Amino acid sequence: MRIGELARVTGTTARAVRHYEQAGLISSQRASNGYRIYDEGALVRVRNIRYLLAAGLTLDDVRVFLPCLDGDVAAAPPSDKGLRVALERLAVLNERIAAQTEARDRLEAAFRQATDGRIHPAA
């Protein structure tokens, strides 16, 4: 199948598919006209990549799961390495959330001080 069909069937974009390929997560063959041609296995891989990205992992994180991308990633028991990557990503996300919460609280306090509490920011 061509890149547009793969993108449509997996609910992503051709640009994302090209990005996954550049990252070494999927591969294609070239037709005589230069178009990328993907086999049926690419469907499973792209779906698994999207599942892992939606869970909060990055493409670099997804590389750890390369040996599993051809199966059912969601149903497979996690490996120790996969669990470590997930825990590291969770720690990064928690740090970002804490930093954003602190920034919001500082801004809200400054806003309340500037308006003498007359105007309340939207919750």
Side-chain angles (χ1 to χ4, degrees):
M1 81 188 72
R2 293 191 356 204
I3 193 168
E5 182 181 0
L6 177 60
R8 183 182 52 74
V9 170
T10 58
T12 192
T13 64
R15 183 173 186 234
V17 171
R18 281 190 293 277
H19 190 64
Y20 302 158
E21 189 170 355
Q22 288 172 342
L25 299 173
I26 61 172
S27 62
S28 67
Q29 302 295 319
R30 291 290 183 153
S32 60
N33 59 6
Y35 290 165
R36 288 177 169 92
I37 304 296
Y38 297 89
D39 62 23
E40 294 297 316
L43 288 169
V44 174
R45 279 191 166 231
V46 170
R47 286 181 178 136
N48 281 328
I49 292 165
R50 290 182 46 79
Y51 171 81
L52 294 168
L53 293 174
L57 300 179
T58 66
L59 275 185
D60 285 337
D61 297 335
V62 170
R63 278 188 194 27
V64 171
F65 297 90
L66 265 174
C68 310
L69 290 180
D70 294 324
D72 187 351
V73 170
S79 68
D80 289 342
K81 193 172 185 180
L83 288 172
R84 276 194 307 277
V85 166
L87 284 172
E88 289 168 6
R89 182 59 45 209
L90 187 59
V92 168
L93 291 171
N94 282 332
E95 288 173 15
R96 289 179 182 167
I97 290 168
Q100 289 294 308
T101 299
E102 289 174 16
R104 183 208 56 212
D105 292 348
R106 286 191 305 271
L107 181 59
E108 186 174 28
F111 183 84
R112 288 185 191 281
Q113 183 179 1
T115 63
D116 295 323
R118 295 180 311 243
I119 302 172
H120 301 283

